[in-house]
Amino acid sequence: MNGVTNGIGGEKPRIAVVGAGLVGSLAALQFGLMGHKVDLYEYREDIRTAELVVGRSINLALSCRGRAALRDVGLEETLLKHGLPMRGRMLHDVNGNRKVVPYDHVNNQAIYSVGRKFLNEVLLNAAEKNPNITMKFNQKLVDCNLKAGEMTFMNTVDKSTSTSSADLVIGADGAFSAVR
């Protein structure tokens, strides 16, 4: 979408990303770096300040595709400093024998084990620093008209509702997506 305009005075489309998990925060950051105005909405509270984060807690295996996405937003090195390289997998047969199978026989490259919460926090911190991105937590999407780009959110703390609009609405709100 780099350089794409919405036809209104040559401005770039305003984008709403619903879901501030790994995919949503990365998408918002990428669009923000391209100069789009982005509203990033999250149903839950800000994981960076939450006392207990409920949900997935296992590490991620960060492959070359994930590294490339992080490189595009300038965060690859930050994550690799905190990741643990995994050069192969251990196979166990029925007799208890073990065998290491490298991920990359040629270049000895590794995938990296990275904490999911840490990765999400790094992405959110970067998004927060971007002047094109506005983050809104505790916002549950309760109604969405994709053709009109209109959305209604309920604040999960005080139960108030608010409306918003965007030229493009991206659903990154998981398995039970309200956007879908």
Side-chain angles (χ1 to χ4, degrees):
M1 285 190 69
N2 199 4
V4 174
T5 62
N6 65 4
I8 302 171
E11 295 177 16
K12 290 186 177 189
R14 181 167 192 86
I15 299 172
V17 178
V18 180
L22 299 175
V23 172
S25 56
L26 178 62
L29 185 55
Q30 187 68 272
F31 283 118
L33 290 170
M34 291 166 45
H36 294 273
K37 295 296 183 187
V38 180
D39 290 321
L40 178 59
Y41 297 93
E42 174 56 44
Y43 171 69
R44 296 182 176 102
E45 65 185 312
D46 188 341
I47 65 164
R48 299 170 301 167
T49 58
E51 292 202 20
L52 177 65
V53 177
V54 179
R56 297 180 180 139
S57 61
I58 60 171
N59 282 7
L60 296 172
L62 191 59
S63 69
C64 60
R65 289 187 315 258
R67 289 178 61 182
L70 292 170
R71 187 178 318 119
D72 286 347
V73 296
L75 296 174
E76 179 186 26
E77 290 305 316
T78 300
L79 272 297
L80 292 184
K81 288 178 189 173
H82 290 86
L84 298 172
M86 299 184 296
R87 303 208 178 277
R89 65 176 56 97
M90 180 71 70
L91 301 180
H92 303 266
D93 68 19
V94 294
N95 298 320
N97 299 313
R98 297 177 296 183
K99 178 181 179 183
V100 175
V101 178
Y103 289 122
D104 182 355
H105 296 281
V106 179
N107 298 314
N108 198 31
Q109 291 183 348
I111 59 176
Y112 285 79
S113 176
V114 177
R116 180 183 299 269
K117 182 177 183 282
F118 176 74
L119 173 55
N120 206 169
E121 289 173 340
V122 167
L123 290 166
L124 289 172
N125 286 338
E128 186 173 55
K129 292 176 186 171
N130 187 304
N132 292 324
I133 301 171
T134 303
M135 299 191 303
K136 301 174 182 188
F137 295 96
N138 299 307
Q139 298 297 312
K140 179 180 181 179
L141 181 67
V142 293
D143 190 34
C144 184
N145 179 335
L146 291 175
K147 287 188 179 190
E150 296 170 353
M151 301 159 289
T152 302
F153 292 91
M154 180 184 72
N155 183 302
T156 59
V157 176
D158 65 15
K159 308 301 182 210
S160 63
T161 60
S162 61
T163 59
S164 184
S165 64
D167 300 305
L168 174 64
V169 178
I170 297 174
D173 50 341
F176 303 103
S177 171
V179 175
R180 185 176 22 175

